[in-house]
Amino acid sequence: LMSAGFPKTFEIGRVYRNEGSSPEHLQEFTNMEFYWSFADYNDGMELVKEMYRKIASEVFGTMKFTTRGHSFDLADEWVKIDYVEEIKKQTGIDINSATSNDLIEKLKELKVKYDGNNKERLTDSLWKYCRKNIAGPAFLINHPVLVAPLAKSISGTETVEMFQPILAGSELGRGYSELNDPIDQKDRFEKQQKLIDSGDTEAMMTDMEFVEMLEYGMPPTCGFGFGERL
């Protein structure tokens, strides 16, 4: 729709995800998404902050909450947390230079259960250990390209223009500047396919029709979504 020229799209409804379930992941849930052309992840963060504050105010009549062992106030400043630096601060591991074996050893030391042995899945498992210690309100930013195959790269880095609201030790949404470079997107899909071929059940499936759409052209776009976890 963005490629076709729609300036903004919005949707809400029941969806199904064919992935593992956990206390924070249901296969079937209600999802809300928006896409906003000629906007980037900085615009998205400002809108999401305003939206979450409004939801809390309208539904609960307050912005102060205590839940899951954390207390936070949505009216406070929403700090920006660097993905790589936060993991390093909490665990001593630099995921940019760490090997898969380094990550496995640290996860065992921390008694964290993990699935798979590729670096993408191990990195994600280490981050999930760290996020439980963050009360928020905060935005997680500067994710490695490895864990965000649809987000636009930050020029000259191995990170992407992505953000996730963090509240009470959990990610409550995901947004990014959409990757609109078809060459980069095709390359990332091919890397995801290699992960699938190696047995990774959570890697993203290749979608060449999506790449073809990008070849016709999509404007700079910010996308964001959240489910029932919020």
Side-chain angles (χ1 to χ4, degrees), residues 60-129:
F60 297 102
T62 183
M63 293 194 199
K64 295 182 179 181
F65 298 90
T66 299
T67 182
R68 302 175 65 180
H70 291 288
S71 295
F72 59 89
D73 186 343
L74 295 176
D76 288 345
E77 177 189 0
W78 288 51
V79 298
K80 293 179 180 177
I81 295 174
D82 183 281
Y83 188 103
V84 174
E85 290 303 315
E86 186 65 23
I87 292 177
K88 189 174 182 180
K89 182 174 79 172
Q90 290 199 35
T91 70
I93 289 286
D94 184 342
I95 59 171
N96 288 329
S97 58
T99 65
S100 293
N101 285 336
D102 293 333
L103 296 173
I104 288 171
E105 287 302 313
K106 178 56 69 170
L107 289 167
K108 288 180 178 177
E109 177 189 324
L110 297 171
K111 296 180 172 57
V112 175
K113 292 181 180 180
Y114 62 92
D115 294 317
N117 57 7
N118 64 67
K119 192 168 182 181
E120 177 188 15
R121 199 62 50 226
L122 295 169
T123 299
D124 187 54
S125 296
L126 196 59
W127 157 248
K128 286 176 179 174
Y129 164 83

Side-chain angles (χ1 to χ4, degrees), residues 206-217:
T206 298
D207 186 347
M208 294 312 295
E209 288 185 348
F210 186 77
V211 174
E212 182 182 5
M213 175 273 292
L214 294 179
E215 289 173 343
Y216 281 94

